[in-house]
């Protein structure tokens, strides 16, 4: 009888730990660009957050310092693609909504804008879809960044891939938004040092509606490579006009856009051979990556964005592992995030100051409907291939 009572008591404790009676939800807040200029990028990040919360809740809830599990409640607001709105939203999340944890918005300007909010309130947050060398100048301690795609490192990696592909001449088309311009700033001297000639250099406004004149100039120059430092909206313009004009460059890079599922669905076989930004693929040996890919595909009936969905998911993996160790105490969380190793779908992540210090910068290529890592060679899941015809 005593043994039976002990078993029942242990079972009761296990149930109480898994779902404590009356335990409040863990409120986790963020803003996102559901409307405005950056809205096309939002669904991939929102989907990743929703999938993570759903999976955690299905496991009984978020592990809080090894003491209890509590269900996640996401609190989301539309920042309308405005960094200023994001500042007001994160202030509200912290001071009025009293969220327990934060997730990050979309885009570099928004991350920079809210950095002062999380610093002022000493509220730890894992950044995701942000990239700039200026990240390194930010005060460490309350914000960290998962990406390995920093413009100076991207320039060096791109030159390595171009040399490997036998490229001698390039055309550079650059969106005037900050990320495009910063990439160009580091890419131009890197190309010159590698003796790769720039035969076309054209900047264009974020709201461009027609690329005919720019791409006609590119076609006349006949470069080996075209580097379109584009965002999702203008990347669609590039593809439509490049296909119409029949651009034949063997190397065609479209910076942001091709990693999004709807983008590849839009262009289908015509997208084959396009190189894009990213350092993740489900085709490697990472079991976590394969599980994420399968779960995302099953739930949303489309592939994840190999860039933004991935960075957002990695930020949730790190947050979940940190909370399991530190609980919800902000000081403990800060220490754990700053000093720990985390197992993620892009492999091991550890921070040096604010930056991911482990993951190498890389590039992806669409090959027969799949996306593979083609650079660096140490992480490649396939070799780079010259772009075939537009099909």
């Amino acid at each position: 009888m005593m043994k039976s009572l002990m078993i029942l008591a242990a079972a009761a404790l296990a149930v109480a730990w898994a779902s404590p009676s009356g335990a409040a939800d863990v409120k986790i807040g963020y803003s996102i660009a559901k409307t405005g200029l950056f809205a096309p990028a939002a669904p991939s990040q929102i989907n990743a957050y929703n999938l993570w919360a759903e999976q955690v809740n299905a496991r009984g809830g978020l592990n809080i310092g090894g003491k209890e599990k509590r269900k996640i409640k996401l609190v989301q607001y539309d920042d309308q693609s405005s960094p200023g709105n994001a500042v007001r939203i994160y202030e509200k999340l912290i001071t009025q909504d009293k969220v327990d944890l934060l997730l990050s918005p979309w885009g570099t300007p928004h991350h920079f804008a809210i950095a002062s909010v999380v610093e002022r309130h000493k509220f730890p947050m894992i950044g995701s879809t942000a990239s700039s060398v200026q990240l390194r100048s930010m005060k460490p301690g309350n914000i960290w960044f998962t990406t390995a795609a920093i413009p100076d490192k991207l320039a060096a990696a791109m030159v390595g891939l171009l040399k490997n592909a036998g490229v001698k001449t390039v055309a550079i088309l650059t969106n005037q938004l900050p990320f495009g311009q910063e990439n160009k700033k580091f890419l131009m001297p890197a190309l010159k040092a590698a003796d790769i000639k720039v035969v076309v250099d054209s900047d264009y406004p974020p709201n461009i509606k027609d690329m005919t004149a720019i791409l006609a100039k590119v076609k006349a120059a006949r470069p080996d490579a075209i580097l379109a430092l584009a965002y999702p909206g203008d990347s669609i313009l590039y593809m439509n006009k490049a296909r119409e004009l029949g651009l034949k460059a063997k190397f065609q890079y479209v910076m942001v856009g091709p990693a999004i599922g709807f983008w590849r669905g839009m262009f289908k076989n015509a997208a084959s051979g396009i190189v894009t930004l990213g350092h993740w693929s489900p085709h490697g040996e990472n079991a976590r990556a394969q599980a994420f890919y399968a779960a995302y595909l099953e739930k949303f009936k489309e592939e994840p964005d190999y860039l933004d969905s991935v960075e957002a998911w990695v930020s949730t993996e790190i947050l979940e592992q940190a909370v399991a160790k530190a609980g919800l105490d902000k000081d403990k969380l800060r220490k754990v995030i700053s000093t720990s190793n985390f197992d993620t779908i892009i492999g091991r992540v550890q921070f040096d100051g604010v930056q991911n210090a482990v993951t190498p910068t890389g590039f992806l290529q669409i090959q027969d409907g799949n996306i593979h890592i083609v650079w660096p060679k140490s992480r490649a899941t396939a070799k780079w291939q010259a772009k075939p015809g537009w099909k």
Side-chain angles (χ1 to χ4, degrees), residues 45-343:
Q45 188 162 340
I46 296 171
N47 288 350
Y49 288 160
N50 287 342
L51 178 62
W52 172 69
E54 179 182 284
Q55 288 191 355
V56 171
N57 288 343
R59 296 195 295 266
L62 191 64
N63 179 348
I64 311 296
K67 297 178 181 178
E68 62 173 346
K69 284 188 175 181
R70 290 163 56 184
K71 295 296 181 70
I72 291 173
K73 178 181 179 181
L74 295 177
V75 181
Q76 176 208 107
Y77 296 100
D78 178 12
D79 58 39
Q80 301 174 312
S81 300
S82 165
N85 286 346
V87 169
R88 289 185 284 274
I89 289 169
Y90 277 82
E91 190 75 36
K92 180 181 186 297
L93 288 167
I94 295 170
T95 62
Q96 297 179 37
D97 295 325
K98 304 293 184 182
V99 297
D100 300 292
L101 299 165
L102 292 172
L103 294 173
S104 59
W106 186 88
T108 304
H110 290 64
H111 280 77
F112 277 127
I114 67 168
S116 60
V117 178
V118 298
E119 179 61 30
R120 182 167 63 255
H121 292 283
K122 304 299 179 186
F123 204 118
M125 187 194 78
I126 312 296
S128 56
T129 54
S131 175
S132 170
V133 294
Q134 295 179 53
L135 300 181
R136 302 183 192 123
S137 67
M138 299 177 73
K139 185 177 180 180
N142 289 291
I143 191 167
W144 301 263
F145 296 95
T146 61
T147 186
I150 305 298
D152 57 347
K153 292 186 175 183
L154 281 169
M158 175 56 77
V159 165
L161 179 54
L162 291 172
K163 296 287 282 187
N164 182 72
V167 168
K168 302 293 185 183
T169 58
V170 300
I172 300 180
L173 318 176
T174 312
N175 189 307
Q176 291 173 344
L177 286 169
F179 187 51
Q181 293 298 310
E182 191 174 359
N183 270 269
K184 179 180 174 180
K185 173 185 174 183
F186 290 97
L187 187 55
M188 294 294 276
L191 291 169
K192 184 176 181 180
D195 199 26
I196 297 174
K197 186 179 179 181
V198 177
V199 294
V200 175
D201 175 13
S202 183
D203 290 6
Y204 58 86
N207 61 347
I208 188 171
K209 297 296 190 293
D210 187 358
M211 285 190 164
T212 302
I214 295 173
L215 293 185
K217 186 177 179 181
V218 171
K219 184 175 182 178
R222 302 175 65 184
D224 297 330
I226 304 169
L227 309 181
L229 307 184
Y231 278 68
D234 42 303
S235 72
I236 293 170
L237 286 177
Y238 169 82
M239 288 292 291
N240 283 329
K241 188 55 63 174
R243 178 169 54 182
E244 180 183 324
L245 294 175
L247 297 186
K248 296 181 179 180
K250 65 179 180 179
F251 189 108
Q252 297 192 36
Y253 171 68
V254 181
M255 186 171 67
V256 180
I260 304 174
F262 84 80
W263 195 99
R264 298 189 303 282
M266 180 182 296
F267 294 108
K268 298 182 173 62
N269 290 337
S272 190
I274 294 293
V275 176
T276 191
L277 179 61
H279 41 253
W280 176 85
S281 170
H283 301 295
E285 298 179 356
N286 186 321
R288 296 178 75 101
Q290 294 165 1
F292 162 68
Y293 177 84
Y296 192 105
L297 187 62
E298 180 180 4
K299 181 173 178 60
F300 301 109
K301 310 307 177 188
E302 66 179 14
E303 289 186 302
D305 179 336
Y306 282 48
L307 184 62
D308 291 344
S309 296
V310 168
E311 298 293 358
W313 186 267
V314 169
S315 74
T316 65
E317 289 182 299
I318 292 171
L319 184 63
E320 182 178 353
Q321 292 170 42
V323 169
K325 290 183 179 180
L328 299 176
D329 181 270
K330 304 299 185 292
D331 290 334
K332 291 179 181 178
L333 268 176
R334 194 177 297 110
K335 182 176 180 181
V336 166
I337 296 169
S338 295
T339 60
S340 300
N341 279 292
F342 300 97
D343 188 16

